[in-house]
Amino acid sequence: MALVLCDRACPASDTLPSRGLFPGAEVWAAAVSVSQRLWKANPLSVTMRPGKALAKSLSLSPDNNKSISTVFPSQDPLDRADFNAVEYINALFPTEQSLANIDEVVNKIRLKIRRLDDSIRTVVRGQTNVGQDGRQALEEAQKAIQQLFGKIKDIKDKAEKSEQMVKEITRDIKQLDHAKRHLTTSITTLNHLHMLAGGVDSLEAMTRRRQYGEVANLLQGVVNVLEHFNKYMGIPQIRQLSERVKAAQNELGQQILADFEEAFPSQGTKRTGGPSNVLRDACLVANVLDPRIKQEIIKKFIKQHLSEYLVLFQENQDVAWLDKIDRRYAWIKRQLVDYEEKYGRMFPAEWCMTERIAVDFCHVTRAELSKIMRTRAKEIEVKLLLFAIQRTTNFEGLLAKRFSGCTLADGSVQKKPEVPPPSTNPFLEDETGAETDEIVMEKSDTDKPKKPKVPDNPFHGIVSKCFEPHLYVYIESQDKNLGELIDRFVADFKAQGPPKPNVDEGGAVLPSCADLFVYYKKCMVQCSQLSTGEPMIALTTIFQKYLREYAWKILSGNLPKTTSSSGGLTITSLLKEKEGSEVAKFTLEELCLICSILSTAEYCLATTQQLEEKLKEKVDTSLMERINLTGEMDTFSIVISNSIQLLVQDLDAACDPALTAMSKMQWQNVEHVGDQSPYVTSVILHIKQNVPIIRDNLASTRKYFTQFCIKFANSFIPKFINHLFKCKPISMVGAEQLLLDTHSLKMVLLDLPSIGSQVVRKAPASYTKIVVKGMTRAEMILKVVMAPHEPPVVFVDNYIKLLADCSTDTFQKILDMKGLKRSEQSSMLDLFRLRLPAPPPGGDGSGSLSLSAPTPEQESSRIRKLEKLIKKRL
């Protein structure tokens, strides 16, 4: 059922209260009355729609509706902004049966309307007195504020009066404080003045009586008291007392110096009675006096103490020369012991007189030794120089153990070298083991950086620095010794011969290599103890010289000589090849020798790098850039490269007869495909003979064995392809046999690094890539040869697709291998040139973009042509 209510169907009703106050209720009641009448007339065809006037009277803005819902939350549908009267009535009367209680519902709604009207009326009437109440409240607030301001003013006036009262009270207290402070200062000053006046009188009296023990304490007190009168020096009496104190200090200084001069005269012998208590107290007084008095006492005492030394070790005396340098140090040791016994208690401990005597002795000794060595420079020999330096450094070490070096603040001794950065240098060892002749340089040490030990001897160089200008004698001696050492290495190698094969343990490093670097370390440590300046640079130059000589005389000079190189040719080799005999190969001993030289060069390369780092640590920071052993390391790299090249040439030359036999076979007459050909067996045999020996002897240098494998593959594969082109003409069966042989060689080459080994290792990826690329090209050549040449367009496209080679020379060789006639080849070549892809921009356009004809192959081809020409003439 639905009810419809139109605007004109809303008659006025006398029963609805407050029409203007609640129009929605009036409309609702009218709608109910009309619905009753319409229901009686036609209960099933009545619907209701809200009128336009009702919608306009209830429309509010969304903000107002939101505010009302916030202030007066309600769940009543009549309070909703989107209230729909039709929906509401339909909810009250959903069925026909529900209309039975319509009167009850109407009564409830009317009751609710009356209550709402009462509430609205009460609220409206209650707002009539609000304005008057507000004005009254405002007047009361203004009166309260005026009363508050009055109270605040009263409080402020009282505070000002209190502050004034406090000021008057504190003014008297401050006056009393100032009076107390001035009185205290006056009393203190008078006491100080009394103490100063009495102290000056007592000081003058004690000075005349040489009562230094009492003077030491009194003088310090007088000086301290006098400091309080610095601001009163304008007063004549104070200034007079200050002048008397200065005069007493000067008199004490002169008197003490005179007492020491009398006790220790500059000329004549010393007193035998030993030091007196007067002099000990005089030293205490000197501590308080001007520091120049103390320095004068020390200077005169040490000079008198060392006067005997200057007489005993004069330049013209026999004991003054370097061979008796021990006597100098023995003398000072005795003197220091004698000083401790006789005068140890006379001087205060903080004067460090024992150390001062030793330091002055070192300065005098350095000057005397420098002078005498300049005079007798021609008499200095290496052993004598090293003996003197050794004894001197030992003495300096003894001084470091005995004294702290606190008297060396004058900067006369070399500064401590800066700590170099951490280095991965296996040369680094404890300096305590620097005298030994063993050197440990293992690769594992490079993973454990060691911080070099900084010498902590403050006396280092205090005497031994005088030997530095004469170290050229030492450098020349090391040059001579190293030359003799290299000659001995050469003679020993010739006498003992190459090292014996050592397949089980790998290639051995030549023992002379370790001996050389042991001697290098000994020289380096010894020279660094003598000097870290220019002599170290000179020694580095000597090291460079004999590293190069060792590389050329011992290593390169003992490499086995080949009968013919890759570009050389001899009548003997040609005759042997013509007779079918094998070319000369290196013996097992020669192979082991090459591997041993390679391992030695690798060891020298690594150790030379460590030597360079160690030299840079030993030398002064300003000279580090002048140490560079890169040239010597490059020399050892050349030796390594030459050794690998010899091994490659030997194996390559051993495979040449087999490849020559392959190119001379009549491949057009092969009738069936069988096992691998004899030449393949020969190549595999040579590989199995050489490679295990080389691998076992290079076990300690795996990376160079990998280089050997890569270089052999780069040499053998182009040569194999070059001989493959010489196999012409080839039948279909012959091409299949060659393809089988090529695959066999490919498998052998892929297994080359671990061939004949019980432990199978995967070949390096770089090597595998070279073998697969090269041998796949050989297989593609044979597949092109096997392909039919009819129709020509398909054959040419197949060639370009398989080989990706734009060289007409290679295509010409393929046609020769197929045995085509010259006329057929000419048409094929023309078609090949037409079918070639366009050259890339910037290319030379010559049509010879050969991707497979490397320079070694071209050179080998020229050599073979020359061999044929000589054979014909022979």
Side-chain angles (χ1 to χ4, degrees), residues 791-872:
V793 175
V794 177
F795 176 76
V796 171
D797 291 342
N798 192 31
Y799 168 82
I800 295 174
K801 179 180 178 181
L802 292 177
L803 287 181
D805 192 343
C806 300
S807 172
T808 55
D809 294 338
T810 305
F811 187 70
Q812 177 72 52
K813 293 176 183 179
I814 297 290
L815 298 179
D816 290 340
M817 293 174 70
K818 291 183 67 67
L820 297 180
K821 297 179 181 180
R822 290 296 177 183
S823 58
E824 294 177 343
Q825 292 185 12
S826 178
S827 60
M828 284 282 191
L829 286 171
D830 293 338
L831 180 61
F832 173 72
R833 294 188 181 94
L834 292 175
R835 304 290 293 180
L836 281 178
D844 55 2
S846 63
S848 60
L849 301 174
S850 178
L851 303 176
S852 62
T855 302
E857 181 181 344
Q858 296 175 354
E859 294 296 331
S860 178
S861 178
R862 296 191 186 101
I863 294 168
R864 294 304 176 188
K865 291 179 182 179
L866 181 59
E867 290 178 358
K868 288 182 179 180
L869 179 61
I870 295 177
K871 287 180 182 178
K872 290 179 181 179

XYZ file of all heavy atoms in Angstrom, residues 791-872:
634
model
N 72.850 -25.937 -55.189
C 73.063 -24.718 -55.991
C 74.071 -23.771 -55.334
O 74.168 -23.753 -54.103
C 71.667 -24.090 -56.042
C 70.989 -24.580 -54.801
C 71.519 -25.962 -54.563
N 74.765 -22.984 -56.108
C 75.839 -22.122 -55.559
C 75.335 -21.100 -54.536
O 76.014 -20.805 -53.560
C 76.403 -21.436 -56.812
C 76.054 -22.351 -57.937
C 74.726 -22.949 -57.592
N 74.110 -20.577 -54.770
C 73.618 -19.545 -53.846
C 73.439 -20.123 -52.445
O 73.803 -19.509 -51.432
C 72.281 -18.965 -54.369
C 71.695 -17.994 -53.355
C 72.477 -18.281 -55.708
N 72.904 -21.330 -52.374
C 72.708 -21.971 -51.069
C 74.054 -22.257 -50.407
O 74.222 -22.067 -49.195
C 71.897 -23.271 -51.248
C 71.757 -23.996 -49.915
C 70.528 -22.976 -51.841
N 75.031 -22.684 -51.208
C 76.355 -22.969 -50.650
C 77.007 -21.701 -50.083
O 77.566 -21.705 -48.978
C 77.240 -23.576 -51.743
C 78.656 -23.817 -51.296
C 78.969 -24.891 -50.476
C 79.687 -22.957 -51.668
C 80.272 -25.110 -50.057
C 80.982 -23.171 -51.246
C 81.268 -24.256 -50.433
N 76.915 -20.595 -50.855
C 77.524 -19.339 -50.387
C 76.824 -18.841 -49.121
O 77.470 -18.431 -48.147
C 77.475 -18.280 -51.498
C 77.902 -16.913 -50.943
C 78.373 -18.679 -52.650
N 75.493 -18.870 -49.097
C 74.760 -18.427 -47.905
C 75.081 -19.307 -46.707
O 75.213 -18.828 -45.568
C 73.257 -18.454 -48.180
C 72.843 -17.379 -49.176
O 73.648 -16.434 -49.366
O 71.750 -17.487 -49.757
N 75.224 -20.611 -46.964
C 75.583 -21.529 -45.876
C 76.972 -21.210 -45.331
O 77.207 -21.248 -44.111
C 75.513 -22.966 -46.374
C 75.595 -23.961 -45.226
O 75.159 -23.668 -44.118
N 76.151 -25.129 -45.488
N 77.910 -20.872 -46.211
C 79.272 -20.500 -45.774
C 79.245 -19.245 -44.903
O 79.859 -19.183 -43.836
C 80.144 -20.279 -47.003
C 81.465 -19.619 -46.685
C 82.545 -20.357 -46.219
C 81.626 -18.231 -46.821
C 83.757 -19.748 -45.918
C 82.831 -17.622 -46.511
C 83.887 -18.385 -46.053
O 85.079 -17.784 -45.743
N 78.520 -18.219 -45.376
C 78.462 -16.961 -44.618
C 77.790 -17.180 -43.265
O 78.188 -16.608 -42.240
C 77.720 -15.891 -45.434
C 78.514 -15.552 -46.703
C 77.493 -14.626 -44.603
C 77.796 -14.602 -47.644
N 76.795 -18.059 -43.229
C 76.077 -18.308 -41.989
C 76.931 -19.076 -40.988
O 76.940 -18.759 -39.790
C 74.799 -19.084 -42.298
C 73.970 -19.427 -41.077
C 72.719 -20.203 -41.465
C 71.902 -20.581 -40.231
N 70.695 -21.361 -40.581
N 77.666 -20.094 -41.464
C 78.435 -20.935 -40.551
C 79.729 -20.272 -40.089
O 80.108 -20.359 -38.923
C 78.745 -22.289 -41.206
C 77.541 -23.214 -41.445
C 77.977 -24.471 -42.160
C 76.864 -23.581 -40.134
N 80.445 -19.621 -41.001
C 81.769 -19.072 -40.667
C 81.732 -17.586 -40.332
O 82.624 -17.083 -39.644
C 82.743 -19.308 -41.815
C 83.213 -20.750 -41.994
C 84.187 -20.844 -43.145
C 83.855 -21.278 -40.732
N 80.745 -16.870 -40.842
C 80.682 -15.411 -40.597
C 81.997 -14.747 -40.958
O 82.497 -13.872 -40.255
C 80.312 -15.114 -39.141
N 82.592 -15.218 -42.066
C 83.902 -14.735 -42.509
C 83.732 -14.058 -43.856
O 83.270 -14.678 -44.820
C 84.883 -15.905 -42.614
C 86.311 -15.420 -42.781
O 86.502 -14.248 -43.127
O 87.231 -16.227 -42.551
N 84.082 -12.802 -43.916
C 83.923 -12.032 -45.156
C 85.198 -12.000 -45.988
O 85.323 -11.179 -46.904
C 83.485 -10.602 -44.830
S 81.918 -10.524 -43.938
N 86.177 -12.852 -45.673
C 87.447 -12.840 -46.388
C 87.356 -13.722 -47.633
O 86.970 -14.894 -47.561
C 88.559 -13.334 -45.472
O 89.758 -13.499 -46.200
N 87.707 -13.179 -48.758
C 87.717 -13.967 -50.000
C 88.838 -15.004 -49.981
O 88.716 -16.054 -50.631
C 87.890 -13.028 -51.199
O 89.077 -12.236 -51.002
C 86.696 -12.090 -51.346
N 89.921 -14.733 -49.247
C 91.012 -15.709 -49.170
C 90.531 -16.995 -48.509
O 90.834 -18.105 -48.982
C 92.180 -15.127 -48.379
C 92.831 -13.955 -49.090
O 92.676 -13.866 -50.330
O 93.484 -13.138 -48.414
N 89.794 -16.859 -47.411
C 89.275 -18.048 -46.727
C 88.298 -18.808 -47.615
O 88.323 -20.042 -47.700
C 88.593 -17.635 -45.421
O 89.496 -16.873 -44.628
C 88.150 -18.850 -44.630
N 87.439 -18.093 -48.304
C 86.482 -18.743 -49.200
C 87.210 -19.453 -50.333
O 86.819 -20.557 -50.758
C 85.512 -17.694 -49.737
C 84.373 -18.274 -50.539
C 83.380 -19.012 -49.924
C 84.294 -18.085 -51.917
C 82.327 -19.550 -50.644
C 83.252 -18.619 -52.642
C 82.255 -19.350 -52.005
N 88.293 -18.836 -50.830
C 89.092 -19.467 -51.890
C 89.692 -20.772 -51.392
O 89.719 -21.781 -52.101
C 90.200 -18.494 -52.321
C 91.157 -19.057 -53.380
C 90.501 -19.158 -54.738
O 89.935 -18.183 -55.222
N 90.551 -20.337 -55.354
N 90.165 -20.788 -50.134
C 90.740 -22.015 -49.574
C 89.674 -23.104 -49.434
O 89.967 -24.293 -49.643
C 91.370 -21.703 -48.219
C 92.592 -20.802 -48.297
C 93.122 -20.459 -46.907
C 94.301 -19.508 -46.992
N 94.831 -19.140 -45.655
N 88.453 -22.723 -49.051
C 87.372 -23.703 -48.944
C 87.098 -24.333 -50.314
O 86.901 -25.563 -50.441
C 86.101 -23.039 -48.378
C 86.352 -22.521 -46.948
C 84.920 -23.995 -48.410
C 86.513 -23.601 -45.924
N 87.079 -23.519 -51.344
C 86.834 -24.049 -52.699
C 87.959 -24.974 -53.122
O 87.721 -25.995 -53.787
C 86.678 -22.887 -53.682
C 85.490 -21.929 -53.416
C 85.473 -20.810 -54.447
C 84.176 -22.683 -53.417
N 89.209 -24.631 -52.756
C 90.327 -25.527 -53.084
C 90.185 -26.855 -52.368
O 90.493 -27.919 -52.937
C 91.648 -24.858 -52.699
C 91.974 -23.671 -53.600
O 91.414 -23.592 -54.708
O 92.772 -22.810 -53.170
N 89.728 -26.808 -51.097
C 89.544 -28.042 -50.358
C 88.464 -28.919 -50.994
O 88.544 -30.153 -50.960
C 89.171 -27.731 -48.909
C 90.277 -27.059 -48.105
S 89.753 -26.561 -46.463
C 89.565 -28.159 -45.683
N 87.449 -28.329 -51.595
C 86.402 -29.100 -52.252
C 86.846 -29.625 -53.610
O 86.172 -30.499 -54.201
C 85.148 -28.239 -52.431
C 84.445 -27.898 -51.109
C 83.186 -27.110 -51.313
C 82.119 -27.958 -52.010
N 81.633 -29.063 -51.186
N 87.962 -29.117 -54.138
C 88.485 -29.619 -55.416
C 87.735 -29.095 -56.622
O 87.701 -29.783 -57.662
N 87.152 -27.899 -56.528
C 86.433 -27.338 -57.666
C 87.414 -26.810 -58.708
O 88.541 -26.397 -58.401
C 85.519 -26.201 -57.191
C 84.402 -26.587 -56.214
C 83.585 -25.349 -55.853
C 83.504 -27.667 -56.793
N 86.949 -26.774 -59.932
C 87.770 -26.254 -61.017
C 87.854 -24.735 -60.926
O 87.051 -24.092 -60.265
C 87.156 -26.669 -62.368
C 87.126 -28.187 -62.579
C 86.480 -28.516 -63.918
C 86.426 -30.040 -64.123
N 85.802 -30.403 -65.415
N 88.838 -24.198 -61.635
C 89.054 -22.761 -61.585
C 87.861 -21.997 -62.137
O 87.512 -20.924 -61.624
C 90.323 -22.387 -62.368
C 91.599 -22.840 -61.710
C 91.769 -22.137 -60.367
N 92.962 -22.612 -59.667
C 93.292 -22.200 -58.449
N 92.526 -21.339 -57.818
N 94.389 -22.680 -57.869
N 87.219 -22.505 -63.163
C 86.061 -21.820 -63.727
C 84.913 -21.800 -62.717
O 84.220 -20.781 -62.561
C 85.626 -22.500 -65.035
O 85.318 -23.891 -64.786
N 84.734 -22.926 -62.028
C 83.675 -22.970 -61.018
C 84.015 -22.054 -59.836
O 83.128 -21.399 -59.266
C 83.479 -24.403 -60.538
C 82.952 -25.351 -61.615
C 82.852 -26.784 -61.107
O 83.503 -27.062 -60.063
O 82.161 -27.592 -61.717
N 85.290 -22.063 -59.490
C 85.695 -21.182 -58.384
C 85.482 -19.715 -58.733
O 85.080 -18.911 -57.878
C 87.163 -21.424 -58.024
C 87.441 -22.776 -57.402
C 88.888 -22.907 -56.957
O 89.616 -21.923 -56.908
N 89.290 -24.144 -56.655
N 85.740 -19.346 -60.006
C 85.583 -17.953 -60.406
C 84.139 -17.509 -60.285
O 83.845 -16.430 -59.744
C 86.081 -17.779 -61.849
O 85.896 -16.448 -62.271
N 83.217 -18.332 -60.740
C 81.803 -17.967 -60.627
C 81.377 -17.945 -59.155
O 80.577 -17.096 -58.741
C 80.952 -18.957 -61.429
O 81.125 -20.288 -60.923
N 81.910 -18.891 -58.352
C 81.588 -18.908 -56.927
C 82.085 -17.636 -56.223
O 81.394 -17.056 -55.379
C 82.207 -20.138 -56.266
C 81.474 -21.428 -56.539
S 80.007 -21.562 -55.516
C 79.568 -23.264 -55.804
N 83.294 -17.212 -56.584
C 83.844 -16.006 -55.959
C 83.032 -14.771 -56.322
O 82.801 -13.883 -55.484
C 85.313 -15.817 -56.369
C 86.312 -16.768 -55.722
C 87.684 -16.621 -56.363
C 86.410 -16.506 -54.220
N 82.599 -14.705 -57.586
C 81.768 -13.567 -57.984
C 80.453 -13.565 -57.217
O 79.992 -12.508 -56.734
C 81.506 -13.633 -59.490
C 82.793 -13.416 -60.296
O 83.741 -12.823 -59.724
O 82.839 -13.846 -61.462
N 79.868 -14.733 -57.094
C 78.623 -14.822 -56.344
C 78.847 -14.500 -54.862
O 78.011 -13.842 -54.229
C 78.039 -16.235 -56.491
C 76.719 -16.501 -55.762
C 75.622 -15.576 -56.280
C 76.307 -17.964 -55.925
N 80.006 -14.930 -54.315
C 80.319 -14.655 -52.904
C 80.449 -13.155 -52.651
O 79.953 -12.632 -51.650
C 81.614 -15.374 -52.535
C 82.124 -15.041 -51.151
C 81.481 -15.505 -50.023
C 83.247 -14.226 -50.984
C 81.946 -15.200 -48.763
C 83.708 -13.908 -49.722
C 83.062 -14.403 -48.609
N 81.086 -12.457 -53.610
C 81.238 -11.008 -53.438
C 79.895 -10.301 -53.500
O 79.679 -9.291 -52.814
C 82.185 -10.454 -54.493
C 83.619 -10.947 -54.357
C 84.550 -10.221 -55.310
N 85.920 -10.704 -55.212
C 86.443 -11.644 -55.979
N 85.695 -12.196 -56.963
N 87.690 -12.033 -55.827
N 78.995 -10.832 -54.343
C 77.669 -10.223 -54.434
C 76.838 -10.479 -53.185
O 76.030 -9.635 -52.773
C 76.928 -10.771 -55.668
C 77.489 -10.352 -57.032
C 76.731 -11.066 -58.153
C 77.396 -8.838 -57.215
N 77.027 -11.652 -52.581
C 76.219 -12.027 -51.426
C 76.791 -11.493 -50.100
O 76.176 -11.691 -49.051
C 76.123 -13.555 -51.316
C 75.584 -14.231 -52.555
C 74.114 -13.943 -52.759
N 73.289 -14.536 -51.726
C 71.970 -14.440 -51.668
N 71.320 -13.746 -52.611
N 71.277 -15.012 -50.696
N 77.963 -10.856 -50.166
C 78.553 -10.346 -48.919
C 77.679 -9.273 -48.311
O 77.106 -8.448 -49.023
C 79.942 -9.753 -49.182
C 81.107 -10.728 -49.323
C 82.379 -9.966 -49.631
C 81.293 -11.524 -48.047
N 77.535 -9.250 -46.983
C 76.779 -8.161 -46.351
C 77.503 -6.841 -46.513
O 78.722 -6.783 -46.680
C 76.716 -8.595 -44.871
C 77.880 -9.492 -44.688
C 78.057 -10.219 -46.009
N 76.726 -5.756 -46.496
C 77.308 -4.417 -46.653
C 78.267 -4.125 -45.522
O 77.982 -4.433 -44.369
C 76.199 -3.370 -46.685
N 79.438 -3.533 -45.806
C 80.410 -3.224 -44.742
C 79.858 -2.151 -43.817
O 79.066 -1.301 -44.234
C 81.631 -2.721 -45.517
C 81.089 -2.228 -46.812
C 79.912 -3.129 -47.137
N 80.227 -2.159 -42.549
C 79.746 -1.144 -41.605
C 80.278 0.228 -41.966
O 81.306 0.349 -42.631
C 80.314 -1.615 -40.249
C 81.502 -2.440 -40.605
C 81.165 -3.106 -41.915
N 79.567 1.291 -41.538
C 80.034 2.667 -41.834
C 81.412 2.906 -41.258
O 81.721 2.486 -40.149
C 78.977 3.556 -41.157
C 77.778 2.686 -41.003
C 78.289 1.282 -40.831
N 82.242 3.606 -42.065
C 83.601 3.898 -41.606
C 84.582 2.800 -41.918
O 85.764 2.907 -41.602
N 84.109 1.684 -42.495
C 85.023 0.600 -42.839
C 85.840 0.951 -44.053
O 85.541 1.867 -44.820
N 86.891 0.169 -44.272
C 87.757 0.452 -45.411
C 87.182 -0.068 -46.707
O 87.640 0.269 -47.789
C 89.158 -0.145 -45.180
C 89.082 -1.628 -44.872
O 87.963 -2.183 -44.885
O 90.144 -2.232 -44.609
N 86.152 -0.976 -46.629
C 85.494 -1.451 -47.824
C 86.343 -2.338 -48.679
O 86.050 -2.571 -49.841
N 87.412 -2.862 -48.151
C 88.303 -3.707 -48.954
C 87.796 -5.118 -49.081
O 88.316 -5.895 -49.862
C 89.701 -3.691 -48.339
O 89.652 -4.241 -47.041
N 86.817 -5.497 -48.302
C 86.252 -6.830 -48.373
C 87.090 -7.878 -47.701
O 86.837 -9.064 -47.846
N 88.059 -7.470 -46.929
C 88.921 -8.454 -46.242
C 88.784 -8.295 -44.750
O 89.745 -8.053 -44.045
C 90.376 -8.276 -46.670
O 90.806 -6.991 -46.342
N 87.548 -8.378 -44.259
C 87.302 -8.296 -42.813
C 87.504 -9.674 -42.224
O 86.572 -10.340 -41.811
C 85.887 -7.791 -42.546
C 85.555 -6.417 -43.131
C 84.091 -6.110 -42.930
C 86.443 -5.365 -42.547
N 88.712 -10.122 -42.212
C 88.995 -11.496 -41.779
C 88.904 -11.587 -40.276
O 89.653 -10.948 -39.554
C 90.387 -11.916 -42.252
O 90.678 -13.210 -41.806
N 87.960 -12.415 -39.802
C 87.809 -12.631 -38.381
C 88.567 -13.842 -37.903
O 88.606 -14.134 -36.718
C 86.324 -12.807 -38.034
C 85.413 -11.650 -38.442
C 83.968 -11.998 -38.125
C 85.835 -10.376 -37.777
N 89.146 -14.605 -38.880
C 89.742 -15.881 -38.503
C 91.179 -16.026 -38.944
O 91.764 -17.081 -38.764
C 88.926 -17.029 -39.106
O 88.959 -16.931 -40.521
N 91.736 -15.043 -39.595
C 93.109 -15.167 -40.083
C 94.008 -14.265 -39.281
O 94.326 -13.156 -39.695
C 93.192 -14.809 -41.574
N 94.418 -14.674 -38.105
C 95.262 -13.820 -37.273
C 96.661 -13.711 -37.842
O 97.073 -14.483 -38.707
C 95.264 -14.548 -35.926
C 95.003 -15.969 -36.263
C 94.122 -15.953 -37.454
N 97.358 -12.768 -37.309
C 98.713 -12.510 -37.793
C 99.637 -13.716 -37.666
O 100.385 -14.006 -38.593
C 99.298 -11.301 -37.035
O 98.442 -10.192 -37.234
C 100.673 -10.970 -37.557
N 99.612 -14.491 -36.555
C 100.488 -15.676 -36.490
C 100.228 -16.665 -37.615
O 101.159 -17.272 -38.155
C 100.146 -16.285 -35.123
C 99.628 -15.147 -34.334
C 98.923 -14.284 -35.297
N 98.995 -16.847 -38.038
C 98.690 -17.787 -39.112
C 99.274 -17.300 -40.431
O 99.841 -18.073 -41.211
C 97.166 -17.943 -39.226
C 96.751 -18.925 -40.309
C 95.243 -19.030 -40.419
O 94.560 -18.589 -39.483
O 94.768 -19.540 -41.436
N 99.125 -15.970 -40.676
C 99.697 -15.429 -41.907
C 101.215 -15.587 -41.921
O 101.804 -15.948 -42.956
C 99.316 -13.959 -42.037
C 97.806 -13.746 -42.196
C 97.447 -12.276 -42.188
O 98.314 -11.433 -41.963
N 96.169 -11.978 -42.437
N 101.838 -15.331 -40.774
C 103.292 -15.498 -40.715
C 103.677 -16.950 -40.953
O 104.647 -17.255 -41.644
C 103.797 -15.016 -39.347
C 103.629 -13.524 -39.107
C 104.461 -12.695 -40.074
O 105.515 -13.197 -40.521
O 104.059 -11.577 -40.417
N 102.923 -17.884 -40.350
C 103.222 -19.300 -40.531
C 103.066 -19.708 -41.993
O 103.838 -20.517 -42.519
C 102.307 -20.137 -39.637
O 102.557 -21.504 -39.826
N 102.057 -19.132 -42.665
C 101.856 -19.449 -44.077
C 103.048 -18.999 -44.910
O 103.524 -19.724 -45.792
C 100.571 -18.777 -44.564
O 100.371 -19.028 -45.927
N 103.568 -17.810 -44.624
C 104.740 -17.330 -45.359
C 105.950 -18.226 -45.114
O 106.746 -18.501 -46.017
C 105.048 -15.890 -44.939
C 103.963 -14.887 -45.286
C 104.464 -13.471 -45.072
N 103.399 -12.489 -45.260
C 102.744 -11.911 -44.266
N 103.055 -12.224 -43.015
N 101.792 -11.044 -44.515
N 106.096 -18.664 -43.865
C 107.230 -19.540 -43.539
C 107.134 -20.849 -44.313
O 108.132 -21.364 -44.835
C 107.272 -19.793 -42.027
C 107.585 -18.479 -41.289
C 108.315 -20.838 -41.676
C 107.361 -18.567 -39.805
N 105.922 -21.412 -44.379
C 105.750 -22.672 -45.097
C 106.070 -22.515 -46.583
O 106.660 -23.402 -47.207
C 104.319 -23.183 -44.917
C 104.001 -23.574 -43.485
C 104.977 -24.610 -42.983
N 104.726 -24.920 -41.579
C 105.521 -25.673 -40.840
N 106.638 -26.156 -41.341
N 105.226 -25.928 -39.583
N 105.666 -21.408 -47.170
C 105.996 -21.165 -48.584
C 107.498 -21.101 -48.777
O 108.050 -21.633 -49.763
C 105.350 -19.864 -49.047
C 103.821 -19.938 -49.150
C 103.240 -18.608 -49.586
C 101.705 -18.684 -49.649
N 101.100 -17.389 -50.050
N 108.183 -20.460 -47.832
C 109.638 -20.379 -47.921
C 110.262 -21.759 -47.781
O 111.231 -22.102 -48.480
C 110.167 -19.432 -46.831
C 111.684 -19.221 -46.797
C 112.181 -18.646 -48.119
C 112.070 -18.305 -45.643
N 109.735 -22.595 -46.908
C 110.233 -23.960 -46.749
C 110.078 -24.760 -48.046
O 110.990 -25.491 -48.461
C 109.485 -24.646 -45.596
C 109.845 -24.103 -44.229
C 109.035 -24.776 -43.133
O 108.188 -25.625 -43.467
O 109.258 -24.439 -41.951
N 108.917 -24.640 -48.681
C 108.699 -25.359 -49.942
C 109.706 -24.933 -51.001
O 110.252 -25.761 -51.752
C 107.274 -25.110 -50.434
C 106.200 -25.810 -49.613
C 104.829 -25.547 -50.195
C 103.752 -26.271 -49.392
N 102.390 -26.029 -49.934
N 109.945 -23.618 -51.068
C 110.889 -23.111 -52.061
C 112.282 -23.681 -51.831
O 112.976 -24.101 -52.766
C 110.912 -21.579 -51.999
C 111.871 -20.868 -52.969
C 111.498 -21.182 -54.411
C 111.833 -19.359 -52.744
N 112.729 -23.743 -50.570
C 114.064 -24.274 -50.263
C 114.116 -25.765 -50.547
O 115.115 -26.295 -51.038
C 114.420 -23.967 -48.800
C 114.524 -22.447 -48.606
C 115.722 -24.631 -48.409
C 114.790 -22.038 -47.185
N 113.019 -26.492 -50.237
C 112.981 -27.937 -50.524
C 113.159 -28.206 -52.014
O 113.885 -29.119 -52.424
C 111.651 -28.517 -50.034
C 111.560 -28.636 -48.520
C 110.206 -29.213 -48.136
C 110.072 -29.290 -46.622
N 108.730 -29.802 -46.218
N 112.474 -27.412 -52.843
C 112.593 -27.613 -54.301
C 114.029 -27.396 -54.763
O 114.558 -28.124 -55.606
C 111.645 -26.666 -55.025
C 110.167 -27.033 -54.841
C 109.281 -26.032 -55.575
C 107.809 -26.391 -55.375
N 106.907 -25.422 -56.060
